[in-house]
């Protein structure tokens, strides 16, 4: 598949903003979508605070923080996901909600885009069956907090 340069993330909560941070610190552009601007802002603030802690630990420079934050676009519009090559759904754990989100994505994303769900407990097979891209649909489970290296390796793996 084509290179993954932009990752779309649905949900700016604990997992969504952790995944967004891991991608951005690795130089990958992110569009992070939530239902309300307040949730988007909270997610972005969490990333900024987490990057500040990395600066304190001398694992990141102030310039690195600015670059990473500059790579994350917060949004309340699913239309902004159109440029993504991979979209990771990390919304609230609710089957009906996830099905609705995945079907909404089918109407927006090009067929070749890979869609992943971060569900902890819902059947991936069941969710895949609700989409029109069962062959391009995967489950992604992360360590919490999301570690940086593992995510980059996963994304590189998807590119091969
Ligand atoms: N190890 C792991 O991989 C792991 C760990 C914890 C949770 N999870 C899973 O990750 C997902 C998210 O969990 P969390 O802890 O981040 O939850 P959270 O409650 O912190 O965040 C969920 C976010 O989704 C948003 N949301 C709800 N409906 C939406 C919609 N229609 N479109 C966009 N955003 C929407 C909410 O506003 C909220 O900000 C769940 O499915 C959960 O089971 C996975």
């Amino acid at each position: 598949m084509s290179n993954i340069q932009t990752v779309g993330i649905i949900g700016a909560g604990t997992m969504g903003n952790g995944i967004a941070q891991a991608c951005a610190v690795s130089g990958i552009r992110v569009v992070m979508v939530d239902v309300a601007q307040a949730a988007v802002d909270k997610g972005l603030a969490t990333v900024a605070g987490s990057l500040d802690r990395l600066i304190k630990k001398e694992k990141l420079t102030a310039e690195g923080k600015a670059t990473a934050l500059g790579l994350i676009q917060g949004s309340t519009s699913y239309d902004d996901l159109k440029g993504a090559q991979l979209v990771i759904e990390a919304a609230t754990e609710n089957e009906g909600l996830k099905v609705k989100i995945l079907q909404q994505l089918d109407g927006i994303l090009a067929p070749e885009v890979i869609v992943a769900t971060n569900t902890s407990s819902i059947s991936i097979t069941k969710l895949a069956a609700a989409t029109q891209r069962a062959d391009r649909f995967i489950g992604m489970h992360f360590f919490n907090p999301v570690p940086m290296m593992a995510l980059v390796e996963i994304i590189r793996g998807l590119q091969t």
Side-chain angles (χ1 to χ4, degrees):
M1 71 164 298
S2 58
N3 268 359
I4 294 172
Q5 288 164 351
T6 303
V7 171
I9 300 173
I10 312 281
T14 309
M15 294 309 291
N17 71 56
I19 298 164
Q21 177 184 325
C23 289
V25 166
S26 307
I28 297 168
R29 270 198 304 273
V30 172
V31 180
M32 181 171 70
V33 177
D34 208 302
V35 277
Q37 189 60 45
V40 172
D41 291 345
K42 195 174 165 204
L44 290 171
T46 301
V47 174
S50 173
L51 294 178
D52 282 337
R53 284 193 293 281
L54 289 177
I55 292 174
K56 258 191 193 154
K57 289 183 191 164
E58 298 187 350
K59 289 184 176 171
L60 188 73
T61 60
E63 195 189 356
K65 175 190 169 187
T67 304
L69 286 180
L71 286 171
I72 306 177
Q73 178 193 347
S75 172
T76 54
S77 168
Y78 278 43
D79 279 348
D80 288 335
L81 297 166
K82 279 181 181 158
Q85 292 81 37
L86 164 68
V87 174
I88 303 173
E89 176 279 308
T92 312
E93 185 77 349
N94 175 294
E95 187 174 332
L97 173 72
K98 287 187 190 287
V99 165
K100 207 173 129 201
I101 290 171
L102 294 172
Q103 290 176 342
Q104 201 173 338
L105 290 177
D106 271 336
I108 292 167
L109 304 175
E112 67 270 19
V113 174
I114 295 174
V115 174
T117 177
N118 186 216
T119 182
S120 307
S121 62
I122 303 163
S123 157
I124 307 294
T125 311
K126 220 169 169 185
L127 290 177
T131 75
Q132 288 166 18
R133 61 182 76 236
D135 59 332
R136 305 223 133 232
F137 185 78
I138 54 175
M140 270 190 176
H141 201 67
F142 299 93
F143 287 103
N144 187 8
V146 182
M148 295 177 195
M149 287 314 294
L151 183 62
V152 175
E153 281 157 22
I154 290 164
I155 290 175
R156 286 204 184 119
L158 285 174
Q159 288 174 174
T160 57

